[in-house]
Amino acid sequence: MTTGRHSALELDPALDDYQLASALVREAGQLALLMRMAGLQSQQKTSISDVVTAADHAAEAYVLEQLQRCRPDDGILGEEGASVAGTSGRTWVIDPVDGTYNFLHGSTYWCSAIALKDSSDVLLGAIFQPEEDKLWLGGTSRPATLNGEALTAYQDGGARNGTALAEFGAATYIHPTWLMDPLCAMPWHSAATSAAALRMFGSGSCDLGRVADGELGCWFQHSCPEWDWLPGKAIVRAAGGAADTVQVNGLQWFMAGGTTAVRELRAALLAGSVT
């Protein structure tokens, strides 16, 4: 496939789902990076920090084309508008550039991410951070890896799953406008003040990859679309960690990390309920 001056690889339909997911995020991420190096402009979506670039669209178009050729029976759902109804009962969920604000402003903290789900749950996730050459992969039938190496942060006799939230740094994200809404700000504040430290980097999938490999202790965020949640959820669980959701004050909150930290995040978020 060719997009402007930049060409990306045509993938082999014989690849298994994990190989295909890995190749898709790697190629999409490299395509986006090449386009940024050549110069990009952005368009604002919902706010000044919610932007989209030609690289987002080109990377999604590449993934869409490859999936329609390699997995013609599967459905496809993409952040930038891709929507294909499949017949297999499976759907690929695409985030061509997660962390577009970071991407546009020269940060390395952005990635391409993809998940495969069926009617009951997510089956696998793949996350590729091009400028750090990190590829996280995992799912229900394959343990989590980073660049092919097994992730062991949750495999040390379960100690990490038993670590309290108060001993972990938490990655999170909340838009400033949401902090003005008590229904959102109260549960967020309750969870944030329960952790040992806070980190806010601006890419949920990059955060979740680091929760899976142990660089970050845990993560929480509200109102995540599937493309921001499912790839990382699959990888964290495949690493032996936990992932959960909870409804508080009409908002859905998403959490990942060790079993104990996630349980305590849920309790802290519920403590911010106004009802």
Side-chain angles (χ1 to χ4, degrees):
M1 172 190 173
T2 301
T3 303
R5 295 183 291 168
H6 310 292
S7 61
L9 187 65
E10 188 168 275
L11 302 179
D12 183 354
L15 295 171
D16 69 32
D17 290 335
Y18 289 90
Q19 293 169 330
L20 179 60
S22 298
L24 285 169
V25 292
R26 187 175 289 278
E27 291 297 316
Q30 295 289 7
L31 173 61
L33 180 57
L34 285 169
M35 290 184 69
R36 188 183 73 180
M37 292 168 64
L40 283 173
Q41 292 184 333
S42 67
Q43 292 179 316
Q44 184 172 312
K45 292 200 286 188
T46 63
S47 70
I48 195 169
S49 61
D50 184 16
V51 291
V52 64
T53 70
D56 296 74
H57 291 299
E60 182 163 299
Y62 166 75
V63 175
L64 175 64
E65 178 181 307
Q66 298 304 309
L67 284 173
Q68 288 184 302
R69 190 173 54 80
C70 294
R71 297 294 187 272
D73 298 330
D74 291 350
I76 305 169
L77 176 67
E79 179 180 12
E80 306 309 335
S83 181
V84 175
T87 59
S88 67
R90 310 190 324 163
T91 300
W92 295 85
V93 182
I94 309 164
D95 195 346
V97 177
D98 179 49
T100 303
Y101 187 83
N102 290 349
F103 169 77
L104 187 61
H105 289 83
S107 168
T108 65
Y109 207 83
W110 61 276
C111 64
S112 292
I114 195 168
L116 175 62
K117 67 171 186 172
D118 62 14
S119 59
S120 60
D121 207 349
V122 63
L123 302 175
L124 67 84
I127 298 167
F128 179 57
Q129 190 174 349
E131 293 183 86
E132 297 195 15
D133 193 29
K134 290 187 173 185
L135 197 155
W136 295 268
L137 180 68
T140 56
S141 61
R142 178 167 171 167
T145 56
L146 171 56
N147 293 345
E149 298 293 323
L151 298 184
T152 60
Y154 299 91
Q155 308 300 325
D156 53 358
R160 192 174 184 87
N161 276 322
T163 302
L165 175 59
E167 299 179 41
F168 271 148
T172 186
Y173 178 77
I174 186 168
H175 193 274
T177 57
W178 281 104
L179 284 173
M180 296 185 286
D181 181 354
L183 296 179
C184 181
M186 289 174 66
W188 183 86
H189 182 270
S190 178
T193 56
S194 298
L198 287 181
R199 299 290 183 265
M200 195 178 299
F201 298 119
S203 168
S205 286
C206 286
D207 290 346
L208 285 162
R210 284 167 171 78
V211 170
D213 68 30
E215 184 177 329
L216 292 172
C218 58
W219 169 93
F220 68 99
Q221 190 172 323
H222 76 87
S223 306
C224 293
E226 288 187 304
W227 46 77
D228 283 342
W229 167 238
L230 292 183
K233 175 187 178 182
I235 296 166
V236 169
R237 293 197 313 190
D244 198 5
T245 63
V246 65
Q247 190 92 358
V248 186
N249 300 337
L251 292 173
Q252 192 82 356
W253 291 85
F254 299 76
M255 301 155 280
T259 306
T260 299
V262 167
R263 184 175 65 246
E264 292 177 349
L265 274 171
R266 168 185 272 270
L269 289 163
L270 286 167
S273 174
V274 298
T275 58

